[in-house]
Amino acid sequence: ITISLSGIAFAIALFLLGAFATRSIQSWLDKVFLPNTTMDVGLRNSITTILGYIGYCAAALLALSYLGLGLEKVTIVAGALSLGIGFGLQSIVGNFVSGLILLWERPIRVGDWIVVGEEQGKVKRINVRATQIETFDRASLIVPNSEFISGRVKNYMHANRSTRIIIPVGVGYDSDPEAVRKLLLDAALSHREILSDPAPAVLFTGLGDFSLNFELRCFVDVDAVAMTRSELLFDIFRRLKEQHIEVPFPRRTVDIADMDGLGKAIAANLPPK
């Protein structure tokens, strides 16, 4: 194979031209065509990312073929480099393949709320090597793609966008359980974010040491969990005050066996006047 400087320059120009065309098509799809379809954000991201991989590979093969390195010669070179790739770039290749699996199977998508270990946040981008997650503290969490394939990931938005809120409420023993049940249901049904299917439910969970224990369980959209929970607590507390229903707090009674002896011991240790 004879390779000249002009041939190398032209091959590089071919690759850059192919890369530019790929980026242009990706930008057109991402900003013009796909937003006007009914596809969700995750599927649109998968399409543009996979198209980018195909475009860059095609541009590289076109440049190599111009240099005289046909597909069969590239295969020979790849075979010679496979040992080094297997030992030195094993994790990189594994993350790249895992990224392709994520884009194809879509167990997680751009915009999903996921939990990885002790961290959670929204998926911002699925890259070649790793996935970028934006936590609720606005920090960027970079997770290698292989962890999503081999590990456990909790996705709040995989099957649907609804999630459950559980609000425990304790009231005094002199309260009417049916009145408390109606109060909690009215608070849930009056909130605009609470889903009607599944319907809200109130459970009488037990007779506590200081209170009758209830749980309000309802479903909301995942993006409204924190605010809805806060607003429900405000509303429930207000309704309890209006109905004069006590919210008890823990009390302890301490019995001292020898109160007289304790008083004498304290008096004996007091400094003289």
Side-chain angles (χ1 to χ4, degrees):
I1 302 173
T2 303
I3 300 178
S4 63
L5 291 177
S6 61
I8 294 176
F10 192 77
I12 293 175
L14 280 177
F15 175 76
L16 293 177
L17 182 62
F20 176 76
T22 300
R23 291 296 297 271
S24 299
I25 295 174
Q26 281 183 298
S27 179
W28 177 77
L29 286 174
D30 190 39
K31 297 179 180 180
V32 179
F33 179 72
L34 292 178
N36 294 321
T37 65
T38 57
M39 300 179 186
D40 59 77
V41 177
L43 181 57
R44 298 203 301 262
N45 179 76
S46 298
I47 291 174
T48 54
T49 304
I50 292 175
L51 180 64
Y53 292 158
I54 296 173
Y56 285 121
C57 290
L61 290 175
L62 181 62
L64 291 175
S65 64
Y66 179 80
L67 291 175
L69 296 174
L71 184 59
E72 67 282 356
K73 296 183 179 64
V74 173
T75 304
I76 295 174
V77 175
L81 294 175
S82 60
L83 186 61
I85 292 175
F87 285 100
L89 303 177
Q90 182 178 4
S91 62
I92 295 177
V93 174
N95 287 323
F96 174 74
V97 174
S98 298
L100 293 178
I101 295 174
L102 291 178
L103 292 171
W104 181 259
E105 292 187 354
R106 303 174 68 222
I108 63 171
R109 297 159 294 186
V110 173
D112 283 0
W113 174 9
I114 64 174
V115 180
V116 183
E118 297 181 355
E119 299 287 348
Q120 58 180 312
K122 292 290 187 72
V123 178
K124 299 298 291 184
R125 187 171 182 82
I126 301 175
N127 296 313
V128 174
R129 187 194 66 83
T131 294
Q132 178 183 347
I133 301 171
E134 184 180 274
T135 67
F136 298 118
D137 297 325
R138 295 297 179 89
S140 293
L141 179 66
I142 310 300
V143 182
N145 291 327
S146 58
E147 292 191 16
F148 294 107
I149 301 301
S150 59
R152 294 184 178 182
V153 181
K154 186 176 183 178
N155 190 342
Y156 281 99
M157 303 170 66
H158 182 259
N160 55 66
R161 292 182 55 87
S162 63
T163 188
R164 185 174 66 174
I165 293 178
I166 299 179
I167 299 180
V169 178
V171 298
Y173 266 88
D174 57 346
S175 304
D176 181 5
E178 287 297 330
V180 176
R181 178 177 181 274
K182 183 178 184 304
L183 182 149
L184 295 177
L185 282 178
D186 289 342
L189 294 174
S190 65
H191 200 285
R192 63 184 182 278
E193 295 290 347
I194 302 299
L195 301 180
S196 58
D197 185 23
V202 176
L203 302 182
F204 194 162
T205 58
L207 305 174
D209 294 336
F210 311 101
S211 62
L212 304 176
N213 297 325
F214 295 83
E215 282 186 357
L216 171 62
R217 299 185 177 187
C218 47
F219 287 82
V220 298
D221 186 89
V222 292
D223 289 333
V225 171
M227 187 58 67
T228 302
R229 181 181 179 85
S230 175
E231 291 178 358
L232 275 177
L233 286 171
F234 275 114
D235 190 22
I236 290 172
F237 187 79
R238 178 184 60 80
R239 290 171 184 265
L240 290 173
K241 285 289 187 181
E242 291 176 353
Q243 297 295 325
H244 304 288
I245 297 177
E246 179 191 9
V247 179
F249 54 88
R251 297 180 177 89
R252 290 286 186 269
T253 301
V254 180
D255 293 327
I256 300 176
D258 188 6
M259 189 66 183
D260 294 336
L262 178 63
K264 293 178 181 179
I266 294 174
N269 288 286
L270 290 175
K273 294 183 180 179

